[in-house]
Amino acid sequence: KKYKIGVVKMSSETDFQSLRDLIFYMLLGDGHITKYDPVRNSCMELCHSIKQKEYLFWKVSLLNDFGIKTGVPYYRKDKFECRIRTERNPIFGILRKRCYDENGKKYLSKRMLKDLTPLGLSIWFMDDGSAKLIHPIWRKNKYNVSDRPDYKLNQIKFAVCSFDEKSNTNAIDILKKNFGLNFTLIYEKNKKQNKEYPMLLLQGYEQLDLFKNIVSPHIIPSMRYKIDHPTSFSRLSPEETERNENEYV
C-alpha cells in the first residue's frame, strides 16, 4: 500500500510516521511551519546562523531522504543567518494544527512528545540546548577537571521560551518517562532585556552522563562542540557542585 502526502509517496505508514516525527523534532527547536492555508498548504522554514549552515544542510538532507524538496538557501549577512524553506505540502498543515495554538504559538502536547526518540532529543539539543562546565575559579584540588574529566559537564539547559508552562511541564514528564532524565523548569533573567526566560535544567553528574550517552551518537561533527567543548561556565560553588553530584539519581 502506498501512502501519498501531497506529491510525496510513502511506501508504508511507518515511513509517514517517521517523517511526521522528524518534522516534529525540528519544530522543538528552530523549525517553524508557516500559517495554515487550505488552498496553498503550509511549508516549513529552517533558520540557523551561518556558522551552523552545515547543520542546516544536514537537516535538509534528512527531509530530502523522505522526498521533501527544499528551496535555495537564503543568506542574510546583516543577521549572519541562513534560511531554507521546504515545498508546500499537506503534512506541514497537519503538524501546524497539532503543534500551534490559535494565536500561532507552538505548544507541546504529550500526544506528540510521547514518541520522542534519542534522535529527536539530539536535534532539540543541537537547536536550543547548551552545556556548562565547572567554572575555572573552582578548578582546584578535588574539583580539578583534568583529574576528573567525567565531571567536566556541570549542567545542561534547553531554551524553551517558545513554549508555555504547560508545554514545558509536558516535556519534563516525557523526558523522565522516555529517558529517565530529571529536568526542572527554571527562569533565568536576561539583564540586558530585564526579562526572565524559561529554561529546562539538568544537573547531577550521573544525569549528565546519561544525557551525554543518549545524544552523543546522533550529534553531527560540526555540532559536537556543544556537548564536548562548551565555552560557558557554571559559577556553582564546590559545595553546590558536590551536592549536585548526589541529586537526581
Side-chain angles (χ1 to χ4, degrees), residues 30-45:
D30 299 318
H32 169 70
I33 293 178
T34 60
K35 188 175 181 180
Y36 176 68
D37 185 327
V39 178
R40 300 180 63 202
N41 293 318
S42 298
C43 68
M44 187 174 203
E45 183 176 78

Side-chain angles (χ1 to χ4, degrees), residues 6 55 59 81 84 87 122 139-142 153 156 160 162 166 168-169 203 207-208 218 225 238 249:
Y55 173 50
K59 281 183 171 180
E81 67 181 24
I84 292 181
E87 64 184 353
S122 303
R139 290 187 180 186
K140 48 189 170 182
N141 301 326
K142 64 178 180 178
L153 283 180
I156 296 287
V160 289
S162 297
K166 177 62 176 175
N168 291 327
T169 301
Q203 292 180 304
Q207 285 281 292
L208 295 170
H218 306 283
Y225 72 91
V249 295

Side-chain angles (χ1 to χ4, degrees), residues 109-140:
S109 66
K110 287 189 177 181
R111 174 189 176 188
M112 291 302 300
L113 282 166
K114 67 182 178 66
D115 296 323
L116 184 65
T117 64
L119 173 62
L121 181 60
S122 303
I123 291 176
W124 192 7
F125 175 72
M126 287 188 282
D127 273 16
D128 285 342
S130 62
K132 285 193 174 183
L133 306 177
I134 298 173
H135 197 276
I137 62 174
W138 307 125
R139 290 187 180 186
K140 48 189 170 182

Side-chain angles (χ1 to χ4, degrees), residues 15-33:
D15 285 346
F16 167 71
Q17 292 173 346
S18 296
L19 174 59
R20 179 205 62 189
D21 291 343
L22 177 63
I23 295 169
F24 176 68
Y25 300 158
M26 295 182 184
L27 281 178
L28 288 171
D30 299 318
H32 169 70
I33 293 178

